[in-house]
Amino acid sequence: MRRRPGVAGLQSEAVLRGQYKALGENVARIRMDLMKDQLSTFRNQLEDFARKHKNDIKKNPVFRAQFHSMCATCGVDPLASNKGFWAELLGIGDFYYELGVQIVDICLATRSHNGGLIDLGELCSLLSKKRRALREPISEDDCRRAISKLEILGSGFEVFTIGKKKMVRSVPTELNKDHNHILEIAQARGYVTIEDVENELNWPSGRAVDSLELLLKEGLAMVDDGHSDGKRRYWFPCIGSMSSDAIDAESEYNL
Amino acid sequence: MDWMKFLSPLKLTSSARPELLANEFERFVVGSADLEAEGFNPLKAGIIVFTNHRILWIDENNCRGGFLHLASVIQVYPPKKSLKKMFSTPRINLQICLSSSGTPCPYSQAASTSSMLIHIALRNSTSSVDTTFSKLTEMLETKAWHVNAESHEHSRRGLPSQDESSSLPAVQDLAGPSRIRPAMAGVSGILRKEQEQWEETDKNLQDAFVDLKALMSKAKEMVALAEKMRAKLMTAPTTQAGSMDDEDATSRQEMQDWMLSVGIASPVTKETAGALYHQQLSRQLADFVVVPLQKAGGMLALVDVYCLFNRARGTELISPEDLLRACTLWEKIDVPVILRKFDSGVMIIQSKSQSDDEIFSRIRSLLTRTEEPSFVGIGATEVARALGMAPALAKEQLLAAEQKGNLCRDDGPDGLRFYLNFFKDIGGEVC
């Protein structure tokens, strides 16, 4: 391309460059779209196969490994049993086990932003989305049944009620780091209110209430309802000004 | 002669599970089997794992093992059947090709070398000899190691990772059409080329998913294709970040999540392990949890492990009951993890380095660090903050230490606080 002199030359060059750029972008977009299409057919097919040929896939260990790796790279859930008659009636078969694994999976994935507490309805909708290929709605009852199958693995994974909401707790108290966060906040004044916790940590209300109640139950917190603003305060007697507490205690004994 | 010198040494994991090669899969396991041959002291009561490449002999008590490559097996003889043999232990006999130095070597028809007979005695009545024999012959006929050897040469010698060998043909496919028609230059040429590529991939996809057999034969290509698409999808949106909609974001997120869950290539199943199912499962689980445990800081709820382990196994789900049973078996075998049950009913898995004694020594150092150790004592909250564990767990640990007599409590106005138990030290001196 020979460069023409003058303003017109510069202008036409700019136009040309713009055209190339537009074309390039176009091609890139088309390429992306095409690939997404292909990927989605790929995924659909894999999902179909996972459902239809489950037992055949299991029989051949070499192919099983390949199939898993395909599913994993494409983001297809290989667990896709239908509920079926027997599962519905007696709760046997792989269906509820699969559901259980998927439920825990969701809880694990969302734990970083909900601290192991999730609304049962939300869990259900996430689960249905995960199993979209089956087009079989997952009811809350299914979730409860699947969770009850996990009971044998120890308590700590349970459905419980806060107010009107049904929540699923996936972190046992012994491993719950939420309490540590609360203790950090309480460090400043020796007490916290529910609002403090919610504001500082950006938690939904249920999470804060649940954590504080548990601390209360463990005997680590004390309630103070007598304050003039009417807000309940949770005191943590052993943190904050530890030495002064100790001195107070000593003077009490001396009296 | 010594068996251990005769067999090639086998690498074992910390819980005595064999480490498999790339493309090697476990086919079945038999327990309490003996290896016998003339001039050898018999190897007694080991576990024999048959894979599609090798025969592995594992001595779980001493955590050692050896293997014999299937390539050196010339012939398998079925167990003899006669009235006299009815009550003796059934044996499968293998004819092994020997090199001049007396060690097993790959069998080839051309070179005439010496051979020897090895007997595999199956003392376990539950594993049927006939099925063992038929599976063994089937694997010898498939010659899976041949396929692997070729892909070895393809990439380079040594152990190629699976992706390396499988991505090779895909790259060549891509380069193919562009090399054939050099005339297609310029923008239209690029576009045409791209179009052709798409059509080809489309066709490939269609062919592969006709039925299960087609997919099986094209599996390797499809794995490579999936990886290629994934790589593109992961890198592409950064260049046109503005046009990413929510759906894209979620699907990308999904795929990222999924990458974490690829895992166990040869899951122990009831079919392969038979009577040894729970025991082998237990060992595999012990190997598996090491990494997630480390990530979680030494402790994991059993329910979380159930999910992670099943995800790594893909379609080979295990039930919660099986998992629990596998965990309880840990007490009997030497593995670096333990199952722990709290009074609250919560069950967790923890590494042995996080044992009560270990934690108590840290609590002790906390107690002795403060200037007036005898006076202030320590509460669950301080332990929780200092050791980075949940308060409930900290309390549990303090109570455990109290129960052992290492700490004593003071239930005062500051809540429950714990002090070092001096009487223990004094008592020791007096005695």
Side-chain angles (χ1 to χ4, degrees), chain B residues 65-168:
Chain B
F67 72 85
L68 189 68
H69 209 282
L70 282 180
S72 54
V73 176
I74 304 171
Q75 183 88 48
V76 197
Y77 302 101
K80 288 172 194 139
K81 283 205 175 105
S82 67
L83 212 59
K84 220 169 83 191
K85 300 270 177 187
M86 277 281 280
F87 302 103
S88 63
T89 315
R91 284 177 173 77
I92 291 174
N93 303 320
L94 304 171
Q95 197 180 4
I96 306 292
C97 187
L98 292 183
S99 68
S100 49
S101 60
T103 50
C105 70
Y107 169 63
S108 62
Q109 237 126 34
S112 62
T113 40
S114 56
S115 68
M116 67 178 287
L117 269 182
I118 289 181
H119 317 288
I120 299 176
L122 302 170
R123 303 213 175 275
N124 201 339
S125 54
T126 50
S127 51
S128 157
V129 192
D130 290 329
T131 51
T132 308
F133 174 73
S134 66
K135 276 181 183 165
L136 190 57
T137 35
E138 180 207 313
M139 276 175 335
L140 281 169
E141 273 161 18
T142 342
K143 294 194 194 306
W145 61 90
H146 269 302
V147 183
N148 210 30
E150 276 160 29
S151 64
H152 270 237
E153 282 158 29
H154 240 293
S155 45
R156 69 183 118 86
R157 273 193 289 166
L159 294 179
S161 71
Q162 209 168 352
D163 335 1
E164 254 181 309
S165 52
S166 58
S167 65
L168 260 178

Side-chain angles (χ1 to χ4, degrees), chain A residues 5-167:
Chain A
V7 178
L10 286 175
Q11 275 170 346
S12 74
E13 198 180 315
V15 168
L16 203 59
R17 207 184 297 135
Q19 278 172 346
Y20 273 128
K21 201 176 159 203
L23 183 67
E25 275 170 4
N26 230 343
V27 170
R29 195 159 55 240
I30 291 170
R31 187 195 289 161
M32 270 315 284
D33 288 349
L34 269 171
M35 205 175 64
K36 268 183 219 147
D37 277 359
Q38 284 186 341
L39 191 66
S40 75
T41 26
F42 203 159
R43 286 169 102 168
N44 289 340
Q45 298 277 28
L46 277 177
E47 279 163 3
D48 267 8
F49 269 64
R51 191 165 71 251
K52 283 185 204 149
H53 303 287
K54 190 175 140 201
N55 291 324
D56 295 316
I57 290 169
K58 276 189 177 179
K59 272 183 204 145
N60 182 340
V62 180
F63 178 65
R64 183 183 58 201
Q66 282 166 330
F67 190 79
H68 286 171
S69 110
M70 269 186 264
C71 284
T73 28
C74 291
V76 170
D77 197 328
L79 300 180
S81 285
N82 283 313
K83 185 151 53 164
F85 174 70
W86 291 112
E88 177 96 64
L89 199 66
L90 301 171
I92 53 172
D94 277 353
F95 176 74
Y96 284 110
Y97 290 148
E98 284 184 4
L99 223 52
V101 171
Q102 284 162 335
I103 286 174
V104 184
D105 209 13
I106 291 170
C107 290
L108 279 175
T110 54
R111 190 172 290 176
S112 58
H113 59 263
N114 64 19
L117 279 184
I118 190 166
D119 187 74
L120 188 61
E122 193 189 339
L123 179 69
C124 261
S125 71
L126 283 173
L127 195 61
S128 303
K129 221 161 112 194
K130 225 181 169 97
R131 297 174 68 91
R132 65 194 178 284
L134 296 161
R135 313 234 151 56
E136 193 182 36
I138 303 292
S139 68
E140 292 197 359
D141 182 55
D142 287 332
C143 282
R144 279 164 167 275
R145 274 173 101 160
I147 289 171
S148 72
K149 295 249 168 211
L150 299 173
E151 257 166 26
I152 188 175
L153 299 176
S155 60
F157 201 103
E158 56 187 356
V159 185
F160 68 106
T161 324
I162 296 183
K164 280 180 195 160
K165 273 195 203 162
K166 292 199 185 68
M167 306 285 280

